[in-house]
Amino acid sequence: MSEFAAGQVGDSRESGAVPEHRRHSGAASDLPQTPTEELLLQIWSAVLGLDHIGREENFFELSGQSIAAVRLVSRVKAVFDVDITVRTVFEAPTVAALARAIEAGGRDRPRLLTVDRPQQLPLSYAQRRLWFLTQLEGPNPVYNVPVLLRLRGAVDAIALADAVRDLVTRHESLRTVFPTVDGQPWQQVLDPSQVHVGLHVRQVDPDRLDEAVREAATCVFDLGCEVPVRVWLLGVGGGEFVLVLVVHHIAADRWSLGVLMEDLGVAY
């Protein structure tokens, strides 16, 4: 998940004369129905220089030409991180149609399937090693795997908290604890309703950002009863934020963090 540039989609207008555009009717059918459509309307407005566009209006009937379509494709790729072409715009020339094409694209996550498994799940060799080291050394941040993401613009903390809950629901490793039975550890996957990871939101002085990030990254997990993930949103003012996601190595590694952050971005 790359840097967000929220709030910058429709800040500018393409230069050049455009014909006067009729105001859309204001009917419910003209208004955006999804967040994807809302963002697309902002992009179309910036590219075409028009303030009132209905979700079912045709891009090319609104003075959109091939060059404008190229600009549209460039902005859509940047905002949605999808692979589309000018041909996609010709095949889906309305906001509603293009939104459907985007939502059906490569960012869709695979559907989760339920599988049978024993009630008590054994640890893998690597997990057992990490569990043993934690027992030997005591809870400590040595095996934390943190990832930092700088966010710019308007961040919806409520939506981000919902996205964190979606992430933990989707990935069982993030809601697994490691209790012991007769001295032996096993994996207990908690039901999503039992897990409350939450999003810790803090405002920090820019001069103390490094300290706040370090404090978050060195949190300590009690693997026997605490899920191995925590998330902070640190605001430093001026529309600048740092998202800190920390997972214990028993539940994730550097490669899987990329998957987690991608899923978090899609959920948000």
Side-chain angles (χ1 to χ4, degrees):
M1 186 168 63
S2 59
E3 281 191 350
F4 287 116
Q8 299 177 1
V9 175
D11 292 340
S12 62
R13 293 285 187 270
E14 303 291 346
S15 59
V18 295
E20 181 179 356
H21 176 237
R22 66 189 183 282
R23 176 183 293 271
H24 66 71
S25 67
S29 59
D30 285 332
L31 302 177
Q33 305 296 311
T34 67
T36 301
E37 290 187 6
E38 177 68 38
L39 283 173
L40 281 176
L41 282 171
Q42 293 182 43
I43 295 172
W44 282 38
S45 180
V47 170
L48 297 174
L50 303 175
D51 292 325
H52 305 287
I53 299 174
R55 60 188 293 272
E56 295 289 356
E57 293 191 87
N58 189 295
F59 180 82
F60 299 100
E61 293 177 0
L62 297 175
S63 77
Q65 303 299 326
S66 295
I67 294 178
V70 171
R71 293 173 179 154
L72 176 68
V73 167
S74 176
R75 295 195 180 197
V76 168
K77 285 183 175 181
V79 171
F80 293 99
D81 189 25
V82 293
D83 185 18
I84 70 167
T85 65
V86 173
R87 179 177 179 176
T88 308
V89 181
F90 276 95
E91 294 175 346
T94 68
V95 164
L98 189 56
R100 288 193 294 271
I102 290 171
E103 291 166 355
R107 287 173 62 95
D108 280 356
R109 301 176 298 179
R111 189 168 67 89
L112 299 182
L113 300 175
T114 301
V115 297
D116 293 329
R117 60 186 174 200
Q119 187 172 4
Q120 290 189 355
L121 293 171
L123 277 64
S124 69
Y125 175 80
Q127 286 177 319
R128 182 173 287 274
R129 174 178 173 273
L130 285 166
W131 178 87
F132 175 78
L133 290 172
T134 301
Q135 297 299 305
L136 183 67
E137 302 167 359
N140 64 75
V142 172
Y143 304 106
N144 287 0
V145 187
V147 61
L148 278 62
L149 185 69
R150 187 174 295 276
L151 311 178
R152 295 177 179 157
V155 175
D156 187 333
I158 295 176
L160 188 55
D162 286 342
V164 170
R165 282 190 287 273
D166 180 271
L167 188 74
V168 174
T169 298
R170 180 172 177 81
H171 293 277
E172 289 185 337
S173 63
L174 300 183
R175 48 186 170 90
T176 297
V177 294
F178 301 86
T180 58
V181 176
D182 298 328
Q184 295 297 315
W186 59 286
Q187 299 186 66
Q188 180 182 2
V189 181
L190 301 178
D191 187 86
S193 63
Q194 299 176 275
V195 179
H196 304 284
V197 173
L199 175 68
H200 305 284
V201 181
R202 289 180 53 192
Q203 291 295 320
V204 301
D205 188 288
D207 295 333
R208 302 192 62 184
L209 177 60
D210 289 346
E211 178 184 345
V213 168
R214 190 178 306 111
E215 179 183 345
T218 55
C219 65
V220 175
F221 297 99
D222 184 344
L223 299 178
C225 58
E226 291 183 328
V227 293
V229 58
R230 293 181 190 166
V231 188
W232 286 262
L233 179 65
L234 307 176
V236 294
E240 295 281 338
F241 300 85
V242 174
L243 180 70
V244 184
L245 183 143
V246 183
V247 185
H248 194 281
H249 192 26
I250 202 169
D253 55 19
R254 292 290 179 183
W255 178 87
S256 57
L257 279 181
V259 177
L260 295 181
M261 295 307 291
E262 176 66 18
D263 274 356
L264 182 63
V266 173
Y268 178 77

